Amino acid sequence: MLSSVALRDPEVAIRLRAVAALSVLGALEPCAAVAMADVELVVRQVTTEALGTAGAAQALHALCLCDAEPVVRGAAIEWLGRLGHVTLLARALADSHAEHRLRAVALVGSLATASSSAAVKLAAALKLAEAATADAE
């Protein structure tokens, strides 16, 4: 597939153009795993933003929240909040960076106030975070 070839090009500029083109065509999500495995931070950042813009919450959750770089995880947390995905934000409540955990709690809290069903999801998410924290200690 041409897209996966372009995403593996040795030139960063080509890979960035491939992410942009796939995003415009609405075809980034199936190739996102390749882009999120890129060694260059800028490619992963652009991919995260493109996935967020496309509303690809599942891909943000599965691929971006586990990135080694805090800036990528932070962007994914913001997008999941904008997209209103309380349950997908639960993973961020166990992030290694305190700022990310606090932001996730704030986003989940703001979403919970907007919806009573979100409050139930918040309680479940907090239980998951507590369990993850207990396991880490």
Side-chain angles (χ1 to χ4, degrees):
M1 183 171 185
L2 183 59
S3 59
S4 63
V5 170
L7 288 171
R8 289 183 174 92
D9 194 274
E11 295 294 324
V12 174
I14 299 296
R15 297 193 310 268
L16 288 170
R17 287 188 192 122
V19 168
L22 290 167
S23 180
V24 168
L25 295 170
L28 178 60
E29 197 167 354
C31 305
V34 173
M36 288 306 298
D38 201 288
V39 296
E40 294 293 332
L41 174 60
V42 68
V43 174
R44 298 192 318 273
Q45 287 176 299
V46 169
T47 302
T48 300
E49 290 299 318
L51 289 169
T53 301
Q58 293 294 334
L60 284 166
H61 178 259
L63 301 172
C64 304
L65 281 183
C66 61
D67 196 271
E69 289 294 329
V71 69
V72 173
R73 295 193 316 272
I77 290 166
E78 291 298 325
W79 273 111
L80 289 171
R82 284 185 219 159
L83 297 171
H85 286 277
V86 174
T87 54
L88 296 181
L89 278 168
R91 184 178 190 180
L93 295 171
D95 193 275
S96 61
H97 280 69
E99 306 88 40
H100 290 163
R101 294 190 306 271
L102 289 171
R103 184 62 183 144
V105 167
L107 288 167
V108 170
S110 68
L111 293 169
T113 58
S115 162
S116 62
S117 67
V120 173
K121 292 177 182 177
L122 170 61
L126 289 173
K127 284 182 184 177
L128 286 173
E130 287 173 7
T133 304
D135 289 345
E137 294 174 348

